[in-house]
């Protein structure tokens, strides 16, 4: 089962990361925050770790006393000493997202207006380009496909090194890799926040995921520290 946690960072982006939150970060992300204080990216990265800490605690999963981040060749993160748990992180705009799973999973969130559509959509498969071009809301359709493709590549651990037209995501969420060949992986699109459509959120795994999404306000993250 895949469970996805989401938090809205609007308050922290306006006021900064609370000192009590920064104090519990891993050495790597605390150093990044202190070095780039005021940077949106540093705050998003810190919040993603805090969300992961909250998710692991809620699921009763023991974590190492000292968090040491490790990265695969494709950039997929892991924690030294955390065995038997797969996770993936993403952030965009005022959202941070964490996915927990029993097997490999990838998650991606993207603000609808954050990425230039015209130049990227030409790198999609022809069927995907048609889906975007014929949509009544092409920006949303593009963002939906972009998050699906990135979630799949993050699940595979390759990052964006692969051509985006080397695999296809169908409207139903099946992943064909290469196009026309079933990969056994599925994308599920989840609500990024109740009653909002300003971003797309996709999770990819070797199973179809139910809408197992948990929304956490930043105040709840602080309480879980």
């Amino acid at each position: 089962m895949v469970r996805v946690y989401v938090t809205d960072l609007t308050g922290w982006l306006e006021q900064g990361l609370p000192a009590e939150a920064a104090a519990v970060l891993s050495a790597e992300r605390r150093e990044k925050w202190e070095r780039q204080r005021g940077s949106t990216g540093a705050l998003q990265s810190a919040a993603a770790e805090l969300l992961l800490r909250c998710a692991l605690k809620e699921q009763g999963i023991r974590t190492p006393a000292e968090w040491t981040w490790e990265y695969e060749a494709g950039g997929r993160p892991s924690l030294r000493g955390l065995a038997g748990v797969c996770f993936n992180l993403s952030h965009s705009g005022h959202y941070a997202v964490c996915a927990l799973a029993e097997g490999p999973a990838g998650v991606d969130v993207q603000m609808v207006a954050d990425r230039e559509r015209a130049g990227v959509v030409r790198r999609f498969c022809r069927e995907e380009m048609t889906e975007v071009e014929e949509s009544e809301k092409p920006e949303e359709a593009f963002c939906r496909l972009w998050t699906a493709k990135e979630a799949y590549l993050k699940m595979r651990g390759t990052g964006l090194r692969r051509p985006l037209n080397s695999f296809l995501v169908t409207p139903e969420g099946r992943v064909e890799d290469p196009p026309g060949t079933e990969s056994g992986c599925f994308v599920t699109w989840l609500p990024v926040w109740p009653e909002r459509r300003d971003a797309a959120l996709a999770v990819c795994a070797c199973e179809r995921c139910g809408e197992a999404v948990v929304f956490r306000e930043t105040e709840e993250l602080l309480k879980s520290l």
Side-chain angles (χ1 to χ4, degrees), residues 103-170:
V107 69
D108 191 61
V109 63
Q110 187 73 42
M111 302 299 292
V112 170
D114 266 8
R115 190 171 292 275
E116 174 59 39
R117 172 168 51 93
V120 179
V121 75
R122 289 195 293 268
R123 295 158 54 194
F124 285 1
C125 297
R126 184 174 300 278
E127 297 93 329
E128 295 167 333
M129 286 191 283
T130 300
E131 181 182 341
V132 173
E133 291 165 356
E134 294 183 353
S135 172
E136 293 182 0
K137 296 182 177 180
E139 291 82 6
E140 291 186 12
F142 166 75
C143 198
R144 175 181 166 93
L145 274 168
W146 174 264
T147 54
K149 282 180 167 289
E150 188 153 353
Y152 175 69
L153 292 176
K154 290 174 74 175
M155 175 196 170
R156 291 299 194 194
T158 64
L160 291 173
R161 294 176 297 172
R162 284 188 56 183
L164 293 175
N165 63 0
S166 65
F167 63 98
L168 170 74
V169 180
T170 72

Side-chain angles (χ1 to χ4, degrees), residues 56 61 82-87 100-102:
L56 292 170
I61 299 170
L82 184 66
V85 181
C86 295
F87 69 87
L100 288 183
E102 296 177 354

Side-chain angles (χ1 to χ4, degrees), residues 4-214:
V4 177
Y5 285 75
V6 185
T7 191
D8 181 352
L9 307 174
T10 301
W12 287 1
L13 288 169
E14 294 173 351
Q15 301 167 19
L17 187 69
E20 60 267 40
V24 302
L25 289 172
S26 62
E28 175 186 320
R29 300 208 175 188
R30 185 169 59 253
E31 188 275 335
K32 179 178 180 180
W33 168 247
E34 292 173 350
R35 176 167 40 86
Q36 302 179 19
R37 190 178 296 269
S39 159
T40 297
L43 189 145
Q44 291 170 330
S45 179
E49 178 182 303
L50 294 169
L51 188 60
L52 173 60
R53 288 175 179 270
C54 173
L56 292 170
K57 184 175 181 179
E58 287 192 11
Q59 296 302 311
I61 299 170
R62 292 189 61 183
T63 60
E66 182 175 343
W67 279 37
T68 302
W69 289 95
E70 298 179 327
Y71 300 91
E72 299 178 8
R76 182 166 55 188
S78 61
L79 276 177
R80 185 183 302 169
L82 184 66
V85 181
C86 295
F87 69 87
N88 202 238
L89 306 173
S90 183
H91 50 72
S92 179
H94 52 90
Y95 296 112
V97 179
C98 165
L100 288 183
E102 296 177 354
V107 69
D108 191 61
V109 63
Q110 187 73 42
M111 302 299 292
V112 170
D114 266 8
R115 190 171 292 275
E116 174 59 39
R117 172 168 51 93
V120 179
V121 75
R122 289 195 293 268
R123 295 158 54 194
F124 285 1
C125 297
R126 184 174 300 278
E127 297 93 329
E128 295 167 333
M129 286 191 283
T130 300
E131 181 182 341
V132 173
E133 291 165 356
E134 294 183 353
S135 172
E136 293 182 0
K137 296 182 177 180
E139 291 82 6
E140 291 186 12
F142 166 75
C143 198
R144 175 181 166 93
L145 274 168
W146 174 264
T147 54
K149 282 180 167 289
E150 188 153 353
Y152 175 69
L153 292 176
K154 290 174 74 175
M155 175 196 170
R156 291 299 194 194
T158 64
L160 291 173
R161 294 176 297 172
R162 284 188 56 183
L164 293 175
N165 63 0
S166 65
F167 63 98
L168 170 74
V169 180
T170 72
E172 300 78 29
R174 297 192 322 276
V175 180
E176 298 179 1
D177 188 4
T181 302
E182 296 288 344
S183 68
C185 299
F186 303 93
V187 171
T188 304
W189 289 276
L190 298 170
V192 69
W193 204 258
E195 300 180 4
R196 294 189 196 168
R197 298 185 63 174
D198 58 346
L201 170 59
V203 59
C204 185
C206 292
E207 59 178 296
R208 291 195 179 275
C209 306
E211 292 202 359
V213 57
V214 180

